[in-house]
Amino acid sequence: MSLKFLVGIFLAAILTENYILNKFLGICPFLGVSKKLNTAFGMSCAVTVVMVIATAVTWPVYTYVLVPLNLDYLQTVVFILIIAALVQLLETVMHKYMPPLYNALGIYLPLITTNCAVLGVTMLVLEKGAENPSFGYLASLVNAFGAGIGFMVAMVIFAGVRERLELCDVPNFLKGLPITLIAASLVAVSFLGFNGIIDRLLA
Amino acid sequence: MDKILIPVLIVAGIGLLAGIILAVASAIMAVPKDEKAEAILEVLPGANCGACGFSGCSGYAAALSKGEAQPGLCSPGGEACAKACAELLGTGDVAVEKKTALVHCMGNYDCTSDKMRYDGIDSCAASTLLAGGISSCRYGCMGMGDCAAVCEYGAINVCNGMASIDPAKCRGCAKCTAACPKGLISFVPLKKQAVVRCSNCDKGAETMKVCKVGCIGCGKCMKACEVGAVKVTNFCAKVDPAKCIGCGKCAEVCPRHVITMLDA
């Protein structure tokens, strides 16, 4: 497995396969926590950490427990269970050993427990692994990390857009969520422009 | 039967395992809770206004329980809250000085004039960016009501180009002091005392040009005060509330009538 392969996966997860803007997962925090730049950044950090750790745990469980027993249809149920327990554990550990980090990220952790972007990452990397046998454990972790960073990029860009929106003279009927959704769709369209860039970049 | 039993057992097993791990983890890594701080948080008003100087009520409660702060800093809570805090801490009674926010300016439209026709954003902060504001006095109140907009208790009234604060309604949250771009609003103890209602630091002749009541720094009040509570610095008089006995002599001699008496 070459480094080029991993870098390709990482960049693709950020730009072309952005979980928010391309796969439309995790829209709830995308709209909910993107009002301010610092909360958007904190939330994205927490999501990135949880995505990597969740993938690190769910991948072996799926490959070595569920598949041999022909129980891969239980994927969703088991993954939700594992992710929820994992986030809870992470919160306990952080509260004890990293109080400053807990104060900064603590309020976002419970929100992530049932976040579809986290569940989506853990399931989609397995789908990729089924299509391409060279897409193993390490590649899955890199993909999960890239997905988290992609989440952060989308959140930070959109927080900037929303801070500008605050000062705009928006027609009354579009105020609030409608204009936010329109802005989100425009940002998503702009990310379409990245299609194919990674293959060419590393070809 | 196995087709149902094995998946059920596996999911239940994973759930049980996760539950046990979490239970053990929470037992091992339990963080001792500060019960005193939580009890104090209960008696605080929960407005999270920041008037005490800490980040919200929980910050103040934590500082109180560690002994890093004094009870009685909470102005929205007032006396009852300070007593409850002191009781929980076991420090005995504390005296709470009742305070009110006060606009240190009397320049309404009768005394000052607008130096421009302003059509911009209707806010003091915005107009201040334009040549120091619309009022002829660059230190004075412009009466566009940024302070009234942030007051949650409806204590501020803007009338005739001048904000005034009702001491009976003021809860001391200090939001208006932060909102005023001229820094005209500050806290004074609510007792019988004299207050100088001007913040103009220009020389007397300059002040006279822009305002009919502005303090010219003549120093008559300083001489009239028998307890040395009034000081003129930067051509503007100031009363030290700690020394003022509320005799009213400075207000009598003031040629500009800018010193007023505050009632308890």
Side-chain angles (χ1 to χ4, degrees):
Chain A
M1 198 181 312
S2 66
L3 187 65
K4 204 167 126 185
F5 181 62
L6 292 179
V7 171
I9 290 172
F10 180 69
L11 290 177
I14 296 176
L15 296 175
T16 55
E17 293 167 12
N18 193 297
Y19 274 77
I20 292 180
L21 299 173
N22 227 305
K23 298 199 191 300
F24 307 113
L25 291 171
I27 297 294
C28 166
F30 182 57
L31 298 178
V33 217
S34 61
K35 267 190 193 142
K36 274 190 192 158
L37 199 58
N38 49 354
T39 52
F41 185 73
M43 176 76 182
S44 325
C45 288
V47 167
T48 310
V49 171
V50 172
M51 274 180 179
V52 174
I53 296 178
T55 309
V57 176
T58 52
W59 199 92
V61 169
Y62 179 79
T63 316
Y64 300 116
V65 179
L66 296 185
V67 173
L69 291 169
N70 278 331
L71 291 176
D72 41 348
Y73 64 89
L74 278 180
Q75 200 189 27
T76 314
V77 178
V78 170
F79 280 16
I80 287 178
L81 190 63
I82 291 175
I83 292 169
L86 206 62
V87 172
Q88 201 64 50
L89 186 66
L90 193 68
E91 199 181 342
T92 317
V93 172
M94 260 170 55
H95 199 175
K96 174 75 177 173
Y97 298 107
M98 295 167 267
L101 198 65
Y102 177 79
N103 285 337
L105 301 184
I107 46 168
Y108 307 116
L109 279 177
L111 295 175
I112 297 169
T113 313
T114 48
N115 189 310
C116 56
V118 177
L119 186 66
V121 169
T122 57
M123 289 169 68
L124 287 174
V125 290
L126 292 171
E127 225 167 73
K128 277 190 191 172
E131 283 167 15
N132 178 2
S134 65
F135 199 95
Y137 190 46
L138 186 63
S140 301
L141 287 183
V142 170
N143 194 324
F145 183 61
I149 300 296
F151 188 89
M152 183 184 292
V153 168
M155 287 284 270
V156 168
I157 288 177
F158 198 57
V161 171
R162 278 187 90 163
E163 280 182 1
R164 288 276 181 107
L165 266 183
E166 292 283 306
L167 299 172
C168 289
D169 188 17
V170 180
N172 259 338
F173 71 103
L174 284 177
K175 261 185 191 149
L177 206 54
I179 192 71
T180 310
L181 284 170
I182 292 172
S185 65
L186 290 177
V187 175
V189 168
S190 75
F191 260 66
L192 270 183
F194 288 119
N195 260 351
I197 192 173
I198 305 299
D199 300 335
R200 295 287 179 85
L201 209 63
L202 298 170
Chain B
M1 193 62 192
D2 278 1
K3 263 191 182 165
I4 302 172
L5 206 60
I6 290 175
V8 167
L9 282 180
I10 285 196
V11 175
I14 290 176
L16 195 65
L17 194 68
I20 291 171
I21 290 174
L22 280 183
V24 171
S26 65
I28 294 174
M29 292 181 268
V31 179
K33 271 190 189 160
D34 195 342
E35 276 170 21
K36 210 195 258 179
E38 282 185 9
I40 293 171
L41 190 58
E42 287 289 308
V43 299
L44 289 175
N48 288 320
C49 64
C52 51
F54 293 91
S55 58
C57 293
S58 58
Y60 183 43
L64 273 176
S65 85
K66 283 182 198 148
E68 289 166 0
Q70 289 297 316
L73 294 179
C74 181
S75 16
E79 207 167 331
C81 166
K83 270 188 185 149
C85 289
E87 211 166 276
L88 286 168
L89 289 166
T91 50
D93 261 357
V94 278
V96 188
E97 200 175 39
K98 219 173 165 336
K99 289 190 292 186
T100 178
L102 185 82
V103 183
H104 290 264
C105 178
M106 283 176 87
N108 55 22
Y109 286 141
D110 302 335
C111 310
T112 59
S113 51
D114 284 356
K115 67 184 171 199
M116 61 173 111
R117 220 193 88 200
Y118 178 75
D119 275 336
I121 303 167
D122 193 21
S123 124
C124 309
S127 81
T128 305
L129 297 173
L130 206 66
I134 53 172
S135 173
S136 56
C137 171
R138 64 192 172 107
Y139 297 96
C141 179
M142 297 176 289
M144 298 172 94
D146 279 15
C147 48
V150 295
C151 185
E152 286 175 20
Y153 309 106
I156 305 182
N157 198 8
V158 180
C159 180
N160 198 16
M162 177 76 229
S164 57
I165 299 173
D166 182 355
K169 285 185 188 164
C170 177
R171 303 279 289 274
C173 68
K175 282 197 176 139
C176 51
T177 61
C180 180
K182 305 275 187 181
L184 289 171
I185 307 178
S186 62
F187 282 97
V188 290
L190 201 55
K191 60 165 190 169
K192 192 166 166 52
Q193 61 161 336
V195 280
V196 181
R197 303 282 296 278
C198 181
S199 306
N200 190 312
C201 297
D202 281 338
K203 285 182 182 166
E206 295 287 319
T207 309
M208 278 188 170
K209 275 184 211 159
V210 295
C211 180
K212 285 182 191 152
V213 292
C215 175
I216 51 174
C218 63
K220 279 186 182 164
C221 46
M222 199 157 62
K223 282 171 202 146
C225 185
E226 288 165 1
V227 291
V230 192
K231 285 262 168 347
V232 177
T233 45
N234 288 333
F235 307 102
C236 187
K238 283 213 165 46
V239 177
D240 183 353
K243 288 183 188 164
C244 180
I245 52 170
C247 65
K249 280 183 181 146
C250 51
E252 277 167 28
V253 298
C254 180
R256 310 279 287 171
H257 308 294
V258 76
I259 302 182
T260 57
M261 298 307 293
L262 199 69
D263 282 326

